[in-house]
């Protein structure tokens, strides 16, 4: 699974710290997500999508495997 | 005085600070106990003892680092734990459990072949478990948790 968090964060002019606070996680979690080193829970994916006002599948890209 | 008592109350009521203080207290107790053992030994200190002391210092350093990260995170208003940190700890615990089983089998095998007291074997085993957990945590941090 890949994601476009960095891209959406830049578009909304949010820092990693801002996004972390909005979705109530540590900044480290956002760093791991952006490096594709962590697959978030459905709740966290939903919360992140809600911050950016888009559907989950626009941010998180599921590959076929 | 009022400032000090407010600070103490804040620590008592704050979950993050409590955990950071527990990590700090445990690290300091281990450090002081190790230092006492190190300086009270009458005979000359051997290589394995220096190695044990070094490992303990590294683990204490990790504990202090953990407490520091918690403290600075709390100052930035971060939650004490989130889903990533919990999963990392759970996975480290699971990995280290399996590896520790093999380590204890090795210890049992070793005990018949070298002259070691039971206390020394137990001490080495417990210390090894801590080292294994620490290494598992580092590997998981580097690798990340994906596609599971």
């Amino acid at each position: 699974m890949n994601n476009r968090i960095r891209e959406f964060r830049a578009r909304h002019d949010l820092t990693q710290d801002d996004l972390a606070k909005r979705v109530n996680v540590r900044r480290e979690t956002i760093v791991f997500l952006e490096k594709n080193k962590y697959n978030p829970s459905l709740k966290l994916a939903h919360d992140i999508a809600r911050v950016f006002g888009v559907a989950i599948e626009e941010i998180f890209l599921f590959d076929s495997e | 005085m009022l400032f000090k008592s407010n600070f103490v109350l804040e620590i008592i009521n704050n979950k993050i600070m409590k955990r950071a203080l527990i990590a700090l207290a445990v690290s300091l107790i281990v450090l002081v106990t190790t230092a006492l053992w190190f300086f009270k030994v009458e005979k000359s200190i051997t290589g394995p003892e220096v190695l044990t002391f070094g490992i303990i210092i590294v683990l204490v350093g990790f504990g202090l680092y953990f407490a520091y990260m918690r403290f600075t995170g709390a100052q930035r208003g971060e939650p004490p734990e989130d889903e990533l940190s919990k999963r990392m700890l759970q996975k480290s615990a699971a990995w280290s459990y399996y590896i520790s089983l093999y380590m204890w089998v090795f210890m049992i095998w070793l005990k018949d072949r070298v002259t070691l007291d039971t206390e020394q074997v137990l001490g080495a085993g417990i210390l090894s478990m801590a080292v294994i957990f620490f290494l598992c945590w580092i590997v998981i941090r580097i690798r990340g948790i994906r596609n599971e």
Side-chain angles (χ1 to χ4, degrees):
Chain A
M1 187 170 78
N2 296 314
N3 68 70
R4 296 163 62 199
I5 293 177
R6 192 189 299 264
E7 181 190 326
F8 273 89
R9 201 167 51 73
R11 215 182 278 178
H12 285 76
D13 200 23
L14 286 174
T15 63
Q16 289 176 333
D17 212 23
D18 295 334
L19 180 59
K21 277 181 184 150
R22 292 245 199 134
V23 294
N24 197 32
V25 294
R26 294 146 69 107
R27 193 179 71 86
E28 181 187 38
T29 304
I30 304 297
V31 173
F32 269 67
L33 283 169
E34 289 188 354
K35 286 182 179 173
N36 282 319
K37 283 170 83 175
Y38 175 57
N39 289 344
S41 67
L42 186 58
K43 185 190 178 301
L44 180 56
H46 177 264
D47 287 348
I48 290 171
R50 203 165 57 174
V51 167
F52 296 131
V54 293
I56 290 177
E57 57 267 29
E58 282 189 56
I59 299 179
F60 296 95
L61 313 169
F62 296 88
D63 48 28
S64 54
E65 281 181 24
Chain B
M1 188 68 188
L2 185 64
F3 171 74
K4 275 187 183 171
S5 60
N6 280 346
F7 181 70
V8 171
L9 277 175
E10 198 176 298
I11 288 174
I12 291 169
N13 292 324
N14 191 326
K15 196 177 164 188
I16 310 163
M17 300 292 268
K18 264 187 206 169
R19 293 201 175 185
L21 279 181
I22 289 169
L24 186 69
V26 170
S27 302
L28 288 178
I29 288 168
V30 172
L31 191 66
V32 169
T33 314
T34 311
L36 282 175
W37 160 70
F38 198 73
F39 291 115
K40 280 213 163 187
V41 175
E42 288 171 1
K43 58 185 182 191
S44 63
I45 290 164
T46 60
E49 285 171 342
V50 172
L51 179 69
T52 308
F53 187 69
I55 292 171
I56 290 172
I57 292 295
V58 169
L59 292 175
V60 166
F62 173 64
L64 291 175
Y65 170 75
F66 180 76
Y68 173 76
M69 292 306 285
R70 282 283 167 112
F71 185 73
T72 52
Q75 281 183 329
R76 287 196 302 268
E78 286 185 352
E81 279 179 335
D82 64 3
E83 58 177 59
L84 175 64
S85 62
K86 279 181 194 165
R87 283 191 64 189
M88 268 190 187
L89 284 178
Q90 284 168 354
K91 198 165 179 183
S92 308
W95 278 20
S96 59
Y97 170 72
Y98 284 118
I99 298 169
S100 294
L101 290 179
Y102 290 103
M103 184 271 299
W104 280 114
V105 171
F106 173 72
M107 284 294 194
I108 292 166
W109 175 84
L110 190 71
K111 193 177 181 305
D112 296 335
R113 281 156 185 82
V114 292
T115 48
L116 282 173
D117 296 335
T118 307
E119 291 83 5
Q120 283 177 310
V121 174
L122 282 175
I126 291 168
L127 195 61
S128 303
M129 285 175 78
V131 172
I132 289 168
F133 179 82
F134 175 58
L135 293 176
C136 286
W137 185 79
I138 287 179
V139 169
I140 289 167
R141 269 190 79 87
I142 293 168
R143 278 187 44 172
I145 302 175
R146 307 186 66 224
N147 299 325
E148 291 165 13

